[in-house]
Amino acid sequence: MNNNKKSVASFEIFYYEYLNEKGELIGELPGALQNNPELWQKFYRYLVLNRIYDETAIKLQRTGQLGTYPPTQGQEAIGVGMGMAMHEDDIFVPYYREPGTHLTRGVKMEELYTFWGGDERGNNFTKGTRDLPDCIPIGTQSLHGAGIAMAMKLRKEKRAVVVSIGDGGTSQGNFYEAINFAGVHQLPLIFVINNNHWAISVPTELQTHAQTFAQKGIAAGVPGEQIDGNDIFAVYHHVRQAIDAAHQGKGPYIIEAITYRMGDHTTADDASRYRPGNELDENKDKDPIKRLRTFMAAQNLWNEAKEKALYAEVKAEVDAAVQKYLSNTAAPATDIFDYMYDTWPESYHEQRDEVIAYHGGEA
Amino acid sequence: MSAITLVEAVTQALAYELKHDKNVVLMGEDVGVNGGVFRATAGLQEKFGSDRVMDTPLAESMIAGVGIGMATQGMRPVCEIQFMGFIYPCVDQIINHAARLRNRTRGRLTCPMVIRAPFGGGIHAPEHHSESTEAIFAHMPGVRVVIPSSPARAYGLLLAAIRDPDPVIFLEPKRIYRLVKQEVPDDGKALPLDTCFVLREGTDITLITWGAMTHETMQVAEQLAHDGISAEVIDVATIKPLDTDSILQSVAKTGRCVIIHEAARTCGVGAEIAAQISEKALDRLHAPVLRVTGYDTVMPYYKQEDIFMPSVQRIRDSVDVALAY
């Protein structure tokens, strides 16, 4: 026996799944999910809505009607499950591949198209929420989440923040700084790490040598766990559980949700350049939408007719959003100045006047 | 009322806003029990509690990013970066988020935060503790950059910065933190941002400067007065956005201008001021606009920092060139 050493810390990371890739339940469904077909069908509707929104965005981009767009195919269960697990007055701090969360939280679909269509007005969520808009600089949103959670704590509010971040994002200093700060102050902050296995073309084994992304919190004293991110039951239940614990003052939490990015990084990318041969096909079998449909069909809750009706309804909803997006009136040219500061500085007026001279607008 | 130093005026302004606006919180490294390495937050944690005056982990980018998050929810964080040499990890957060938040959400979210940092040379500090890189921030659309040069202006401008609905980089010239004392009533009255201050009126030449360099510049103006030359001294104070009108009015009156700043010359704020004058007042000039600045070198260690810093002599020599032209 060696008396010079003793164990001073250890950790364990648990993995959870409830609905496997074949659409079969593994054990019992937890909590509010049990015998809740209404909720399951709501999940399903949002998953389908997310997917058709996404496919439509790609089509719009390919036909020159939308800018560069990051597809979400394959990872809808994370976005939708996370959004539905949140309470209305929690705050969402996204990276840039979570339309499902925005939609479940009441952001209008046409606003999402407007944002990816190169128009800042898309971030002016008319619902009036203080959720943050999509964050493009990788990982930087982590700190905003920590700041918002700090504001909630200082104001003694029973609210929480959910930050979403990709696997690549967890390599950023800002991520570590945020979980460190959240640990120190035991903030009501939940990180959902969307591990889709790729950061553009860089695979997870080149991001970290850690066995899991969930354990990245351990060094900051922030507990975490891993879930099947294609199992919406797991996402919903574990995110809700972490939020409710945060509301009770139990501090921050990390959930690594494992999924797979079935599409390209963006419409400007071609994943076939770097994705190994049959990886995509293997992951198609894990599709989050397919497995929920299989499960509901086995429960006699779903059939071909319901599927057809839902798709028709959702397509009509997406089409209506596209029409609203495409009929956006042009923003006034002076908008580029008018939201820079509360009041455009006096000494810069000639710049604004110049734009009016070239493009029109009100002085 | 006793006279106070510039750094004490900073403390006085912070205390006033902490007392009168519950959304104001201070955060930074060593700002709590220790009261800040320059004592700018001395006694404030004791008075307002550790929820309002927070020691943070040692990560500057974190301080800025957390401040932004708080600001999006209507709080008014005042973040201290211990020295300007350590502010660069924050630049990502400032450029990519603080400066853009209002614009990219079309006003739905805003960022009413202040980042304070002591800056500048002349106190024989270690490496990385003496730089003047205000131009980096002045170049960024969406922020304000404010630099006080006296206790009264530190108090009034810091109050204005905290109350401003947009992000403000508030740079404190540490060389003059304790150089002069002045009576500063704690009346909560802010001074205007985006406005130059005329420190001395004159008719023969305009000397434009800010921060600690106002001190040497005023000494030169005194010398000039002895020699029968009337110099107007302008403290720019808000270097972004520039109060171009006040500068142009002065130059139109005097026809001669020397710009003095401690920062390196290339793309310094002096270049912007000179460009504005050349665009809008060329026909009023009797001499080229001259700059007296730090050099395009790394800030030397303290044994050689005096070579770098604009001196009374260097300023006077450039003034003489402008006057003789």
Side-chain angles (χ1 to χ4, degrees), chain A residues 36-49:
Chain A
N36 199 343
E38 203 182 316
L39 184 60
W40 305 338
Q41 291 182 57
K42 202 171 168 193
F43 287 151
Y44 191 69
R45 189 182 192 283
Y46 269 118
L47 289 171
V48 171
L49 183 72

Side-chain angles (χ1 to χ4, degrees), chain A residues 91 115 119-126 128-156 159 172 174 177-178 180-181 184-185 331-332 335-348 350-351, chain B residues 23 25 27 50-52 54-75 89 92-93 96-97 99-110 138 140-144 164-167 194 239-245 276 279-280:
Chain A
I91 295 275
F115 170 68
D119 185 335
E120 290 88 344
R121 291 176 298 178
N123 284 334
N124 187 7
F125 304 152
T126 44
T129 150
R130 281 188 188 259
D131 282 4
L132 264 54
D134 282 1
C135 180
I136 311 262
I138 303 298
T140 54
Q141 78 279 14
S142 312
L143 291 168
H144 310 154
I148 296 168
M150 190 70 196
M152 290 171 176
K153 189 185 172 198
L154 291 174
R155 289 167 166 168
K156 300 181 169 52
R159 302 165 67 196
Q172 289 280 356
N174 278 186
E177 292 176 3
N180 185 56
F181 185 77
V184 168
H185 291 284
D335 269 13
I336 70 169
F337 301 105
D338 293 346
Y339 299 94
M340 282 304 303
Y341 297 91
D342 179 58
T343 309
W344 183 239
E346 189 60 38
S347 58
Y348 298 155
E350 63 185 34
Q351 297 178 28
Chain B
N23 286 314
V25 291
M27 347 190 278
S50 56
D51 277 359
R52 307 285 308 282
M54 278 182 276
D55 276 324
T56 64
L58 213 167
E60 287 77 13
S61 177
M62 185 228 81
I63 294 169
V66 165
I68 291 164
M70 293 169 90
T72 64
Q73 309 302 308
M75 299 200 76
D92 181 17
Q93 286 290 343
N96 279 326
H97 295 294
R100 303 168 65 102
L101 201 60
R102 177 190 291 279
N103 183 62
R104 71 190 292 264
T105 62
R106 287 299 183 251
R108 182 172 65 88
L109 299 174
T110 59
M140 293 178 196
V143 299
R144 282 189 161 73
D164 192 80
D166 293 302
D194 308 359
I239 62 165
K240 183 194 186 83
L242 273 179
D243 174 9
T244 319
D245 283 352
Q276 293 279 354
E279 282 176 3
K280 292 172 187 141

Side-chain angles (χ1 to χ4, degrees), chain A residues 75 196 198 200 260-265 269 271 274-275:
Chain A
Q75 48 191 75
N196 67 12
W198 291 98
I200 305 190
Y260 187 77
R261 194 192 79 205
M262 296 213 261
D264 298 321
H265 163 64
D269 175 46
Y274 50 81
R275 187 158 51 198

